[in-house]
Amino acid sequence: MTTLAGKVAVVTGAGRGIGAAIAKALAAAGATVACASRSVAEVEATAQRVRDAGGRAIARRCDVGDASDVAALYEAVAAQEGGFDLLFANAGVSLDQRPVGASDPAAFEETFRVNLFGVYHCARLAIPHMRARGGGRMVVTGSGMGHSSLHGHAAYSASKAGVWMLVRILADELRADGITVNELVPGPVRTAMTGVPQREGSVVNNPIEWLKQPEDVVPLAMFLATHPGPGPTGQSFSLMRRTF
């Protein structure tokens, strides 16, 4: 596949899990991929795997909750590649899985800093770069917990609900610029962050739900990256069956 030849993509949370899988797939389709993560070792490992497979990759440390980090990431990509066309805002955390009354305010705030403000910084600062390229695609990793409530996950659910609203607002604001903005809801994925309990490939407390590996999310991510213009925008694409 060379459907993304000549394109440049930025993927946050690319050190492992879904982000790493998406970064490798984008590169395999011909894109130059800027891999970003708070872990230098992990993101450099992802970039090296891309290069070993014959792709082009940039590795950068970036805390998406810090606007100056995001700006520095984009400036580095623009200096080396002239700009970028695709943004996969994938970085996220789940730090406090307790009811609101028993929650840790610091962990609650940190969850919002990364999950919601991280998407805000990534999207806001990407706009001028994508406008300069004549358009682009933003894909944000959302969650089913951002659409329906789940006991004990207040911080994560509320932050992802904010992300879903931000996606729709951005889509309306950027439609005229040829920039699409969509949400990708992976559903349960076996990653270091989620630690989803499993039994024979399904989720223990919901056996009809499809428990995925990170690579199982790639086909939907690639659909959103390669769909002919103008393409869908302001929509949520889900691999999840469960309604909380």
Side-chain angles (χ1 to χ4, degrees):
M1 288 179 61
T2 56
T3 52
L4 294 177
K7 300 294 186 181
V8 180
V10 175
V11 183
T12 68
R16 58 187 180 183
I18 295 170
I22 290 173
K24 288 183 282 187
L26 292 169
T32 297
V33 185
C35 305
S37 169
R38 286 193 288 186
S39 169
V40 173
E42 288 181 345
V43 76
E44 287 183 344
T46 297
Q48 190 58 51
R49 285 193 289 271
V50 168
R51 298 185 196 109
D52 290 344
R56 299 187 67 235
I58 304 164
R60 292 282 301 191
R61 184 200 173 277
C62 180
D63 177 356
V64 297
D66 184 334
S68 62
D69 262 21
V70 177
L73 166 66
Y74 290 171
E75 288 165 9
V77 175
Q80 183 168 328
E81 302 295 334
F84 58 94
D85 312 276
L86 304 166
L87 168 65
F88 278 81
N90 170 73
V93 296
S94 180
L95 301 176
D96 195 336
Q97 298 180 5
R98 292 172 289 182
V100 172
S103 63
D104 173 16
F108 211 98
E109 290 182 13
E110 178 66 6
T111 301
F112 269 75
R113 188 185 75 85
V114 176
N115 291 0
L116 180 54
F117 282 92
V119 171
Y120 164 74
H121 295 318
C122 287
R124 182 181 70 85
L125 294 169
I127 291 169
H129 291 278
M130 289 189 171
R131 281 176 172 161
R133 303 278 275 200
R137 301 191 183 283
M138 299 185 190
V139 181
V140 178
T141 300
S143 172
M145 286 189 278
H147 293 253
S148 299
S149 61
L150 181 64
H151 175 79
H153 293 79
Y156 185 79
S157 296
S159 68
K160 288 296 187 178
V163 164
W164 171 220
M165 177 56 74
L166 183 58
V167 163
R168 287 175 285 175
I169 291 170
L170 285 165
D172 289 342
E173 292 179 350
L174 300 176
R175 186 187 303 270
D177 296 298
I179 301 170
T180 63
V181 190
N182 291 292
E183 179 188 53
L184 192 166
V185 176
V189 178
R190 191 71 167 171
T191 68
M193 186 186 85
T194 60
V196 179
Q198 62 178 326
R199 182 189 298 119
E200 297 180 356
S202 61
V203 182
V204 169
N205 61 358
N206 188 10
I208 66 171
E209 186 66 75
W210 175 30
L211 178 63
K212 293 163 286 297
Q213 299 300 322
E215 291 72 20
D216 293 323
V217 181
V218 165
L220 180 54
M222 294 303 294
F223 165 79
L224 292 172
T226 62
H227 195 286
T233 192
Q235 297 186 35
S236 179
F237 293 85
S238 180
L239 294 173
M240 189 171 195
R241 175 168 179 173
R242 178 176 179 177
T243 300
F244 292 105

